[in-house]
Amino acid sequence: MARELDVIVIGWGKGGKTLAGTLARAGWRVAIVEQSEKMYGGTCINIACVPTKILIHDAEQHRGNGADADYFNTAVERRDELTAKMRQKNFSMLDDLDSVLVLTGRASFTGAHSIKVEGGDEVVELSAPKIVVNTGAVPAIPPIKGAEISGRIHDSTTLQHAELPKKLVVVGGGYVGLEFASMFAQFGSEVSVLDRGERALKQEDEDIAAEVVSVLNDAGVTIITSASVTSLSQDAHSATVTYDRNGEEHQLHADAVLLALGRTPNTAPLKLENTAVQLGDKGEIKVDKYLATDAEGIYALGDVIGGAQFTYTSLDDNRILKDKFLGEGKRNLEDRVAVPSTMFVTPPLARVGLNEDQARAQGLDIKVATKKVADIAAMPRPKIVGDPRGIIKFVVERKTDQILGAALMHVDSQEVINLVAMAMRAGINASTLRDSIFTHPSSTEALNDVLGSFK
């Protein structure tokens, strides 16, 4: 007989674990299911945001010192130690609550309000009027001959524990691909990136993309555009990537290959066919603006619903469901504006809102301010820490002086972008931000300079 609860949360990601804890403290009987004890706390702290940024930080300290397998292995050990501590802390935060049932195993739906959890030889049946799916996403494996994660061919998870490659080929020029390219180049690998687009970072304005490419080139990364991979192969000594470029076949040989072609919502194991939940074209769970699926009582949040796959948007999804279950039920996805993002190349590229191309395509009357970081006299911090590279760009509506978007590529940009995003959400105009008082020396004070140079 199935154990009855008030809510079941499937998946221990940021939104799910936070919601589970909140509901438990409110007196609900909660079950949280995680498929692996190595994933308590979710993707971010175990295999993505936190561990990769540890490695990126240590790579930045090593920049220019050449390949050193021992140094890399020490960085991996530090990564593992910190993620283990965070994983245990995340587990305790829920397991220590009396009203939370923690289960480790693979969950699948057996009906509209019931699931089974299979872990080892044990099968546990649960039922609840509310079930929240928070199973995240997994690396996408392209339909390319030889594209399987084994041996010398990796995804973003397995490469973190591979031997430091002398030569690395990255298939895919998106955020993950370029972050790993930047990181391994600084660890001393010879890195080539194969990008299908006609130019790198085609979603960015050309001047911003060019700055990123220049920085990556300086680090030793070669970016090959208009490259369509047709096959991969490997033996005990190396891997080979065959690709087509402008009708000509080429090959690259490497010690390791990273497949970085996005992430796919992790829905396959759930047996959603036993419910009325509907999936979108990319396998994502379809939800309304309140995160409700087509099945009464079943909700979804985080990466599994598609769209921007960020830990902090998953946390905000939790706020929507918290309001739905414990509040007035008014908060929804349409409340979410000016959501920033950061690509952790070195220095990082952070952005929010519209870029110049998008604003002009919408017919908006805009003014634009752009400056290279090295040319900003009122921004000494990047020079102090020895990395004055990068560029800052703002797009502002001419008549209202409201900030429409910004791209910041410089030391500390992942912090400064949050201030810009908050200003956008609060309706603070560019002139007010320009004339604000910021600490010195800081990267934030670049706003005093750049926001006074519109054209």
Side-chain angles (χ1 to χ4, degrees):
M1 184 175 179
R3 179 168 177 174
E4 296 183 1
L5 301 122
D6 296 313
V7 63
I8 300 167
V9 179
I10 305 174
W12 207 306
K14 184 69 171 181
K17 69 184 180 187
T18 307
L19 181 66
T22 298
L23 295 178
R25 286 186 289 273
W28 289 36
R29 295 169 301 163
V30 179
I32 185 163
V33 184
E34 176 52 57
Q35 67 177 356
S36 169
E37 62 183 11
K38 295 180 180 180
M39 291 298 289
Y40 296 140
T43 296
C44 179
I45 71 165
N46 288 295
I47 59 175
C49 321
V50 173
T52 59
K53 303 317 173 279
I54 295 170
L55 294 176
I56 288 169
H57 172 271
D58 287 3
E60 289 172 343
Q61 309 313 302
H62 186 70
R63 186 171 73 227
N65 289 322
D68 185 337
D70 290 338
Y71 181 88
F72 175 72
N73 292 338
T74 299
V76 173
E77 289 175 4
R78 193 172 81 87
R79 167 216 183 275
D80 293 348
E81 289 173 2
L82 180 56
T83 54
K85 290 178 181 178
M86 295 183 71
R87 184 163 55 248
Q88 180 58 47
K89 179 63 175 179
N90 272 261
F91 178 79
S92 297
M93 287 169 63
L94 292 181
D95 191 55
D96 290 350
L97 296 174
D98 292 337
S99 56
V100 176
L101 171 65
V102 175
L103 292 174
T104 305
R106 189 171 295 277
S108 60
F109 282 88
T110 56
H113 299 286
S114 60
I115 69 168
K116 66 178 179 181
V117 180
E118 299 174 272
D121 297 329
E122 185 180 14
V123 177
V124 177
E125 296 182 348
L126 306 174
S127 67
K130 292 180 173 60
I131 300 177
V132 179
V133 180
N134 180 46
T135 48
V138 294
I141 305 300
I144 297 171
K145 181 181 178 182
E148 56 183 41
I149 306 305
S150 65
R152 296 180 178 274
I153 299 175
H154 298 273
D155 60 23
S156 57
T157 300
T158 64
L159 187 59
Q160 294 176 50
H161 285 99
E163 293 182 3
L164 178 65
K166 293 180 180 179
K167 292 186 178 181
L168 171 67
V169 173
V170 178
V171 180
Y175 271 39
V176 173
L178 294 185
E179 283 188 2
F180 272 74
S182 175
M183 174 176 72
F184 274 95
Q186 292 176 103
F187 274 128
S189 300
E190 180 183 325
V191 183
S192 299
V193 177
L194 298 175
D195 190 332
R196 289 175 293 186
E198 294 182 2
R199 68 170 176 87
L201 294 171
K202 58 185 177 182
Q203 74 275 20
E204 301 289 345
D205 291 333
E206 280 199 48
D207 51 355
I208 301 299
E211 188 70 17
V212 176
V213 170
S214 175
V215 166
L216 289 171
N217 289 163
D218 287 345
V221 177
T222 300
I223 300 178
I224 303 171
T225 57
S226 301
S228 179
V229 175
T230 55
S231 67
L232 298 97
S233 61
Q234 61 177 312
D235 56 29
H237 306 289
S238 67
T240 300
V241 181
T242 303
Y243 66 96
D244 177 88
R245 188 168 192 259
N246 301 323
E248 295 184 1
E249 185 176 275
H250 302 266
Q251 288 188 331
L252 285 174
H253 305 284
D255 302 290
V257 176
L258 169 63
L259 298 180
L261 295 169
R263 295 176 66 83
T264 302
N266 185 24
T267 56
L270 293 172
K271 296 186 179 179
L272 291 171
E273 62 271 18
N274 292 327
T275 73
V277 172
Q278 299 296 307
L279 301 180
D281 294 339
K282 298 181 179 179
E284 76 280 10
I285 293 179
K286 296 175 70 172
V287 295
D288 65 15
K289 64 181 180 180
Y290 299 102
L291 300 177
T293 71
D294 290 339
E296 180 68 28
I298 300 179
Y299 303 83
L301 79 169
D303 294 355
V304 77
I305 66 173
Q309 296 179 343
F310 301 133
T311 294
Y312 43 93
T313 52
S314 177
L315 178 61
D316 198 56
D317 287 346
N318 145 78
R319 298 183 185 114
I320 293 173
L321 288 182
K322 175 185 174 183
D323 186 45
K324 174 76 173 178
F325 297 160
L326 301 177
E328 298 180 353
K330 294 181 179 180
R331 190 169 186 138
N332 63 74
L333 292 172
E334 294 177 357
D335 299 329
R336 192 176 293 166
V337 295
V339 178
S341 62
T342 302
M343 178 171 65
F344 284 88
V345 291
T346 304
L349 170 65
R351 68 154 15 267
V352 66
L354 301 177
N355 62 29
E356 181 180 0
D357 290 343
Q358 291 167 335
R360 295 196 186 284
Q362 293 182 24
L364 299 174
D365 183 17
I366 61 173
K367 53 184 180 179
V368 177
T370 309
K371 272 197 173 185
K372 292 289 189 75
V373 170
D375 297 332
I376 303 174
M379 187 188 187
R381 175 161 169 75
K383 301 179 180 68
I384 290 170
V385 301
D387 193 356
R389 300 172 299 170
I391 189 171
I392 296 177
K393 185 173 187 177
F394 275 83
V395 179
V396 171
E397 190 172 36
R398 189 177 301 277
K399 184 177 180 180
T400 64
D401 199 37
Q402 292 298 312
I403 301 168
L404 299 175
L408 317 178
M409 186 186 185
H410 58 75
V411 169
D412 302 327
S413 68
Q414 77 278 10
E415 304 290 350
V416 180
I417 199 67
N418 292 312
L419 175 64
V420 177
M422 183 173 289
M424 292 173 64
R425 289 192 290 270
I428 296 171
N429 64 26
S431 297
T432 300
L433 198 59
R434 176 198 65 202
D435 296 335
S436 295
I437 301 172
F438 304 118
T439 58
H440 173 81
S442 69
S443 294
T444 312
E445 60 188 331
L447 304 179
N448 297 142
D449 185 311
V450 177
L451 290 171
S453 61
F454 285 104
K455 294 180 181 179

